[in-house]
Amino acid sequence: MNVSLSPWSTSDADSLTVAVGESPELAVQLGEEVGSRAAARTYIAQYLTDDDGTVAFAIRVDGVAVGHVALSHIERRNDSAWASYWVTASRRGHGLASRALATIAAHAFDTLGLFRIELGHRVNNPASCRVATAAGFAAEGIERSKLRYGSDRYDVETHARLSTDPRPPIELVPIVGAAVRAGR
């Protein structure tokens, strides 16, 4: 199994459509309907490509996009960012999300010059908590009713990792085909 991170492309629309088909809750998290190839292409172009405040990668297995990891809300005054991740249902349980999250954290610290990365997961999603913990993110507390998916609100456990924290003993994933952004 060849695992890598690389930028999303609109040519990944079929992979995103499959991911949402396997994981209907993902469509709710994404906040948009992406059940068709055209909708998935539009979503990728609008939300999964890099801009000044986001660095996004597809998690690929043998070249096929099976998940997502990103840094958003990159804020230079405090050198911080928000991390997010997901893996399609058929690829969960193999450590892909933890490896991708640890990789993007290393990229944030070593290449982008960030100091703090935060993330949050619904408290009713223990698998996401295991991903964060395996990638070296320490739990910091509960934020009540922080997330809204559709009409439902969820409590969120916030985690963070600092550049000064010990690196987790986890195999990183190669980043391929991405422009390297300098720190400051």
Side-chain angles (χ1 to χ4, degrees):
M1 179 167 64
N2 182 18
V3 181
S4 63
L5 300 182
S6 67
W8 281 93
S9 166
T10 54
S11 64
D12 293 317
D14 287 338
S15 295
L16 182 57
T17 303
V18 167
V20 171
E22 286 183 12
S23 311
E25 77 281 359
L26 183 56
V28 176
Q29 277 185 251
L30 297 178
E32 301 212 6
E33 179 58 45
V34 291
S36 71
R37 178 184 291 164
R41 287 176 67 89
T42 299
Y43 187 86
I44 290 167
Q46 284 187 309
Y47 299 110
L48 300 184
T49 54
D50 291 1
D51 66 19
D52 289 337
T54 301
V55 175
F57 295 109
I59 302 169
R60 297 184 187 279
V61 173
D62 299 328
V64 177
V66 299
H68 172 76
V69 64
L71 297 171
S72 61
H73 301 88
I74 297 173
E75 197 269 293
R76 287 297 177 181
R77 181 164 188 237
N78 295 299
D79 293 326
S80 64
W82 184 262
S84 59
Y85 51 89
W86 57 262
V87 174
T88 190
S90 63
R91 293 295 185 159
R92 292 180 189 155
H94 301 286
L96 296 173
S98 297
R99 290 178 62 201
L101 182 59
T103 300
I104 204 166
H107 179 70
F109 300 141
D110 300 343
T111 304
L112 303 179
L114 298 180
F115 180 77
R116 179 183 170 87
I117 304 169
E118 301 174 16
L119 64 83
H121 64 82
R122 296 184 322 266
V123 295
N124 66 343
N125 187 350
S128 190
C129 185
R130 288 190 296 274
V131 166
T133 302
F137 285 74
E140 293 190 329
I142 305 293
E143 296 177 88
R144 298 176 302 133
S145 297
K146 181 174 185 172
L147 291 180
R148 184 180 70 194
Y149 295 149
S151 60
D152 296 324
R153 294 207 72 92
Y154 296 91
D155 291 351
V156 170
E157 183 171 53
T158 301
H159 292 243
R161 187 165 152 198
L162 308 179
S163 64
T164 55
D165 288 342
R167 302 265 171 134
I170 193 168
E171 182 183 1
L172 301 182
V173 177
I175 298 175
V176 296
V180 176
R181 292 185 176 177
R184 292 175 145 237

